[in-house]
Each structure stands twice: as structure tokens, then as C-alpha cells.
Amino acid sequence: MKVLRNRVFRWGLLMVGLIAIITLTGMNVLSLYDLRDRMVESEEERRIDQLDEINDSIRNQILAPLRGLYKLELEPIESSIQQTGHLPNNIQDVLQRSSESPFFTNIYFTPEGTDPCTDNATIYKYHEDLNEVNSTSEYPDLLCDGVGIARTKTRIQLNDFNYRWNNNFEFDTHRSLNLGLINLAESRLIGVLTLTLDQDYIVQEVLPPLLENYFGDSEETGIVVWVLDWPDNNVIATSDPDVEYDRDLRDYRMGFSGSGFFDNWSMNLAFLQSPVTTAYNETLLKNLFVLGVAVLFLLGALIFMFVTAQRERHLAQRQASFLANVTHELKTPLAVMQAAGENISDGRVTEPKRLKQYGEHIYNESIRLRGMIEKLLDVARVDSGQNMIKAAPYEIKELLAKYLSENREYIEKKGFEVIFKSPDDNTRSLVDSDNFETIVNNLTENALKYSSDEKYIEYQVSTDKNNVYFSISDRGQGIAKKDQKNIFKKFYRVEKSDTQSQKIKGHGLGLSIVKNLVELNNGTIEVKSSLGKGTTFIVRFPKLEADENQN
Ligand code: ADP
């Protein structure tokens, strides 16, 4: 129960860690995109603000000559016109300045009570060369609209109690600028000053340099602005003549001015792929890449830590069960020896045949005990890295033949058929003969232990150009694929459910010692096995050429 709880807890922690990393990454990616969008947006807003700047600039240029007007006393206008037919001098100055402005073509004054929508009304026209106004009955039709607009709007302003200016200006689209002049004392209109606008000058001389100055070549800035005369849907100016106006391309549109001048004109702006956006996109990609690498590292570290912890835990578990086993198994032979020894020393056993049996018991158990202690010492040596090897050139086939000459009888006694195949050619390799014996002995012991039905063991030596191989095969129970990668680990034993296999004694140390010794001698080991059919362990050592020196 506790084990299960721990397991759930560990996996739970891993999951929480993974989810936390994924969530954090997600949030980071979103905020990186958000940051990019905001940067791009604020760049776009800055550009849109520049449209206002252009409007303000044109407006200020148009209104510049009229700036002094609001300071003037306008009341004398009516009496001056009645008495002299001219406007008073103070106004003439403003008119002169205005007439010099390239924005205006002509200047007219329509007194209150005169209707410029009818023919032959008496209107005053400013003559620049004379610097005076003279009455005329020739005036353009647009005066009718301009004066009408100015009168209506100025009257509305006058209804507002707080209106304190002596004039009120209104644009009649891009055709004229009209100023309603006000008698502030009596709060009424005196007349309307109309300045006709030079549309060609604005379209040809003013707009293009301004647009180009602010927005320039669209390939560099990624922006195009078109000024449209919208009733005709006609492009009258553009920041880049190479890019044709296209309604679908347009990202932003605004009337030429918020305060109602050039009503028929609109500013249209399109954001093409701007270098700024490209730069932000590149930064975004760079950031995403760095984030990705960091997250991969983090995930890698987390998984690495988890896997390592799992491995350590398995090792610890195997070590614990090993300790329990070993204690038990050290005690068993000792107990047998103790009992047999006691019986003999007490003099209870005197019969020679039984004495011999007891002696054999003691001998066999002490051999077992010694084997186990040696194995433990081997492990301890491997663990402490003190395994010194005394390698010398040996014929592997001879080493194996020697081993067999000493052990064949023992193996055959256990009912095994022993086969030994070796080639005629050179099987020399540089190995430690003690190590070699331990290796062969462990592999042989395993073949004996894990074979039951068919008792067969085959030793084979072979070579190729650079290597000497020897293999030990049995026809025993075999090892499942999933276990094959683990059997060389320290303390690893294949778990078996059937009772017969469980009886086979062992500590999971033999193969780990074998692998370690093989590698110390510059060799490799691999296993080929199939369940129920048998197992072959193949050990490879580098071959020594026949003429290579003994060291
Ligand atoms: P053990 O002391 O358990 O034999 P080893 O390290 O020698 O430890 O072997 C590890 C495991 O590999 C054994 O528990 C056994 O299941 C399996 N094994 C080793 N050799 C053989 C073999 N010749 N046939 C079948 N299984 C084997």
C-alpha cells in the first residue's frame, strides 16, 4: 500500500513538474506574441498620429496669415464701408498678408444682408496691387456655399453665450475658407470674408513633399498613404506613386481633418510588410528559439532526474533484497557445517560410512560458502575500482580447453553433454587468465543453473580479422527479450512466477561481474536467447596477431 502511494506520489510530482513547465512555456509564448503585437501596434499608432501631424501642418500654414485677426476691432467695418466704400486699414494688413499666401487665389467680403447666391449682388473683392477692397458684382458661384455655411455656423456659435471670438472660420471643403466676422458688442454678424483656396497648389506643391517626408519609399518604411477625393474616388496625392491605391490594401482611413476642412478628402494608409515588423518578427523568432532550448533543457533535466531517481531506487531495492538473501545463505551452509561438526565431535557418529557423508556435507557446504564469499569480494573489488588486471597474451582456445579439462567431469556429473568447438587458427588475445576463468566459470554456472530439461552446454571459439570470440550456449529456459537488457545490471534477477525457477539460487551478481571483467580486458559481451529454447553468451576480445610481441 505504502509502495503504491509512493509510486503515485512520484509520478504525480513528475506530472505536476511537466504541467508546470508546459504552462509556463505556453504563457511565455503568448506573452512574447503579445509583446510583438503591441510593439507593432504602437508603431502603427505612431504612424497614424503622423497623419494628424500632416493635417495640422497644412491647417496651420493656411491659417497663418489670419492669426492677427482675432485681436482686431471689427466694429468699424460697417461704417467704413458705408462711408468710404473700403474696409478699415487694420483689416487691410491681414488681407494683404493673406493674399500673399500661396494657398489663396482671391479674397471677397460679403456684408451681412447681401446674398451672394443671387446674381449682381454687391460683394467686395480685395485687390492685392491696390491693397484695397472694391465692390464688384462679379464673383464665383462657390461664394454662395461658403458664405451660407459661415453664416449658419457663426449664428449657431453666437447663440452660445460663451463665444468670445470676433470671428468664426469654416471651410467649404477644399474650395474656400470663410470667416464670419462678428460685432462682439452687439453679438451679431458683420459679414463673411471668403478666401478661395488654390486647390492645385495644395495638391501639387504641399501634399506630395509632406507625404514623402513623413512616409517616404514604401519599400523602406512599409507604409503607403494615399489622399483621396472620395466623391470621385480619385487619388490626388500619394507617398509612393509606385504603389497603386487598392481598397483591400487599406488598413486605416480618416477624414482629412477632424475639424472639418477639406471634407471631401480622406487619408488612407496601408501597412505593407514594414522592416520594423520584420525586425519584431525576427526578435520574436529568436526569443522563441531561446525559450525552446531552455525548455528542452529543463524538460531533459527533469526527466533525467526522474529516471536517475527511479534507477537508484531499483538498485536500492535490489541491494536490500540481496542483503536479506545473502545473510540467509551465509547462515544456511554454516548451520549445516555446525550441525555435522557437532555430531562428529560429540562422538555420536562413528560409523565410517556416515562419517564420510558428514565429511562430504561439511566439504560441500564450505565450498559453497567460499564461492559465495569470493563472489562478494569480486563485487567489492569492482565497486571500489581496485580490480587490477595482469593481462598477458593467451590462446583463448587453450584457456578454455584448460578450464574444461579441470571442470568437464564436474559438469558431466550434473548430467550435461559438453561440446567444445575451436578453430585451428590463431586465437591469441591479451587477457588476465584469472579474470578469464571467473568469466567462463560464471557463464558455465548459469548455463547449468538455468537448464533443466535438455542438459547441453556448448563452448565455441571463433575468430574474424580483428577479434577472437568465445561463446557458451545452453538449451535451457532462455531469457525474455525485455530482461535481456537488464541481466548485466548488478543485483538484477529475472522474476519468475513458476516455482521451479524460483528455487534456483542466485544474487544477480554473476553477470554484472562477468561484464565488468570482460570490459576490463577490452572486450564486449552480448546475449542471444529465446525463451524455452536456450541462451548463448558471446564474448569478444581483440585478437593479437601471431607475430605480435608478448607485451
Ligand atoms: P544469478 O545469481 O541470479 O544467476 P546473474 O547475474 O548470473 O545472477 O544472472 C542474472 C539473471 O540472468 C539470472 O537471474 C537469470 O534469470 C538470467 N540468466 C543468466 N544466465 C542465464 C542462462 N544461461 N539461461 C537463462 N537465464 C539466465
Side-chain angles (χ1 to χ4, degrees):
M1 193 63 197
K2 196 170 162 221
V3 174
L4 185 72
R5 222 184 312 136
N6 278 345
R7 202 185 147 102
V8 170
F9 183 64
R10 265 196 320 276
W11 279 96
L13 268 187
L14 178 71
M15 286 302 137
V16 170
L18 287 177
I19 290 171
I21 290 177
I22 291 168
T23 315
L24 280 177
T25 314
M27 278 162 59
N28 266 314
V29 169
L30 284 184
S31 67
L32 282 176
Y33 270 98
D34 193 42
L35 188 70
R36 195 271 317 256
D37 289 349
R38 255 189 278 163
M39 302 272 239
V40 172
E41 245 170 59
S42 79
E43 168 66 13
E44 290 181 356
E45 271 165 23
R46 189 176 74 83
R47 290 311 204 157
I48 288 170
D49 287 347
Q50 286 180 337
L51 293 181
D52 278 330
E53 284 175 30
I54 290 181
N55 284 330
D56 286 349
S57 156
I58 297 178
R59 220 161 100 115
N60 287 338
Q61 287 181 55
I62 293 176
L63 295 176
L66 296 161
R67 284 230 172 86
L69 190 65
Y70 76 97
K71 289 191 209 139
L72 302 182
E73 280 195 18
L74 300 180
E75 285 75 10
I77 288 179
E78 283 170 318
S79 53
S80 172
I81 283 186
Q82 274 164 19
Q83 286 159 22
T84 65
H86 301 311
L87 289 173
N89 279 344
N90 57 0
I91 296 212
Q92 309 266 66
D93 289 346
V94 174
L95 298 188
Q96 191 179 10
R97 262 193 320 241
S98 303
S99 69
E100 283 163 6
S101 158
F103 283 95
F104 305 122
T105 44
N106 285 307
I107 303 174
Y108 298 94
F109 177 70
T110 312
E112 187 62 354
T114 305
D115 181 6
C117 298
T118 58
D119 289 338
N120 299 323
T122 305
I123 305 290
Y124 293 85
K125 180 176 183 188
Y126 176 76
H127 294 278
E128 193 179 351
D129 38 351
L130 304 171
N131 189 22
E132 58 180 39
V133 290
N134 288 322
S135 61
T136 173
S137 54
E138 281 180 22
Y139 45 87
D141 287 348
L142 59 83
L143 223 59
C144 166
D145 291 340
V147 171
I149 292 169
R151 279 184 178 155
T152 315
K153 298 249 175 103
T154 308
R155 285 198 187 106
I156 294 170
Q157 301 284 19
L158 284 174
N159 283 339
D160 180 354
F161 186 67
N162 286 324
Y163 197 75
R164 284 274 161 263
W165 303 105
N166 65 359
N167 66 76
N168 167 50
F169 68 85
E170 301 290 343
F171 282 89
D172 169 17
T173 68
H174 49 277
R175 297 191 297 172
S176 63
L177 168 63
N178 301 275
L179 294 105
L181 303 182
I182 295 164
N183 181 330
L184 267 182
E186 295 170 19
S187 193
R188 65 173 176 82
L189 258 172
I190 297 168
V192 175
L193 204 57
T194 302
L195 299 96
T196 51
L197 285 163
D198 185 346
Q199 187 184 331
D200 290 343
Y201 172 72
I202 300 171
V203 169
Q204 283 156 21
E205 309 287 330
V206 181
L207 279 174
L210 265 179
L211 291 176
E212 204 188 310
N213 202 10
Y214 272 97
F215 301 108
D217 182 356
S218 64
E219 279 192 12
E220 272 168 37
T221 59
I223 293 171
V224 198
V225 174
W226 300 275
V227 178
L228 240 65
D229 187 349
W230 61 261
D232 301 341
N233 208 19
N234 190 13
V235 177
I236 53 173
T238 169
S239 64
D240 187 345
D242 291 340
V243 186
E244 231 178 274
Y245 173 70
D246 180 350
R247 203 167 188 279
D248 296 334
L249 223 58
R250 181 178 77 193
D251 292 301
Y252 183 79
R253 174 185 187 277
M254 66 184 244
F256 201 81
S257 159
S259 66
F261 88 114
F262 298 174
D263 276 348
N264 290 357
W265 291 358
S266 67
M267 298 269 228
N268 299 269
L269 187 145
F271 295 106
L272 310 177
Q273 184 59 2
S274 106
V276 182
T277 319
T278 316
Y280 287 143
N281 280 339
E282 271 167 21
T283 316
L284 174 74
L285 274 185
K286 231 182 279 163
N287 286 342
L288 285 178
F289 177 73
V290 172
L291 182 71
V293 171
V295 167
L296 279 186
F297 266 114
L298 212 60
L299 278 179
L302 186 72
I303 290 169
F304 175 76
M305 267 157 51
F306 185 78
V307 170
T308 318
Q310 287 280 80
R311 228 181 261 157
E312 299 272 307
R313 216 171 41 81
H314 285 147
L315 183 67
Q317 272 170 359
R318 292 204 302 264
Q319 242 161 344
S321 78
F322 163 75
L323 214 62
N325 267 344
V326 132
T327 328
H328 172 73
E329 289 198 23
L330 286 178
K331 272 187 188 159
T332 320
L334 267 181
V336 173
M337 282 154 67
Q338 194 182 355
E342 208 177 298
N343 285 347
I344 296 171
S345 65
D346 279 359
R348 260 183 274 166
V349 183
T350 48
E351 200 187 317
K353 199 175 148 205
R354 289 201 61 205
L355 260 179
K356 187 171 175 271
Q357 262 179 358
Y358 273 73
E360 268 171 8
H361 266 322
I362 295 177
Y363 176 75
N364 286 340
E365 290 303 314
S366 64
I367 295 272
R368 240 182 90 191
L369 202 57
R370 191 185 148 158
M372 252 159 51
I373 290 171
E374 265 169 10
K375 211 171 249 190
L376 281 175
L377 288 178
D378 280 344
V379 176
R381 259 201 301 274
V382 167
D383 278 353
S384 63
Q386 286 172 355
N387 227 328
M388 302 286 285
I389 67 161
K390 295 183 288 280
Y394 285 103
E395 282 282 348
I396 296 294
K397 59 184 174 193
E398 280 170 18
L399 284 182
L400 210 54
K402 179 169 167 269
Y403 174 83
L404 277 178
S405 71
E406 288 164 8
N407 292 279
R408 184 183 278 267
E409 199 189 322
Y410 162 75
I411 301 169
E412 282 176 347
K413 248 195 192 161
K414 296 204 166 220
F416 277 79
E417 179 189 352
V418 181
I419 307 286
F420 178 38
K421 296 179 182 166
S422 77
D424 292 334
D425 42 342
N426 159 36
T427 63
R428 262 149 61 92
S429 182
L430 209 57
V431 292
D432 178 318
S433 60
D434 287 344
N435 289 171
F436 187 83
E437 194 184 331
T438 314
I439 293 166
V440 179
N441 199 35
N442 271 296
L443 294 176
T444 305
E445 286 295 339
N446 278 352
L448 303 186
K449 270 200 294 186
Y450 299 106
S451 299
S452 47
D453 297 341
E454 196 174 350
K455 299 194 168 185
Y456 173 93
I457 183 163
E458 180 182 314
Y459 298 83
Q460 186 172 6
V461 182
S462 63
T463 59
D464 64 15
K465 191 159 172 281
N466 299 314
N467 302 292
V468 183
Y469 302 87
F470 79 86
S471 61
I472 300 182
S473 314
D474 62 53
R475 293 182 183 164
Q477 64 190 41
I479 306 164
K481 250 243 127 45
K482 69 172 172 47
D483 292 314
Q484 287 178 14
K485 59 179 186 301
N486 291 321
I487 51 175
F488 295 105
K489 289 180 184 163
K490 218 184 336 173
F491 304 122
Y492 188 88
R493 303 207 69 213
V494 177
E495 278 172 27
K496 287 268 159 61
S497 50
D498 62 287
T499 44
Q500 209 228 324
S501 316
Q502 272 180 345
K503 273 194 292 190
I504 301 171
K505 297 217 167 89
H507 309 293
L509 290 174
L511 287 181
S512 116
I513 293 169
V514 165
K515 184 165 197 274
N516 195 274
L517 292 180
V518 167
E519 283 169 1
L520 270 177
N521 286 275
N522 279 331
T524 54
I525 180 165
E526 62 173 307
V527 60
K528 287 190 173 137
S529 181
S530 65
L531 264 188
K533 292 206 175 129
T535 306
T536 301
F537 284 96
I538 304 156
V539 177
R540 178 195 64 80
F541 290 122
K543 183 158 85 177
L544 268 187
E545 282 313 316
D547 54 1
E548 267 184 81
N549 249 337
Q550 296 240 325
N551 39 19

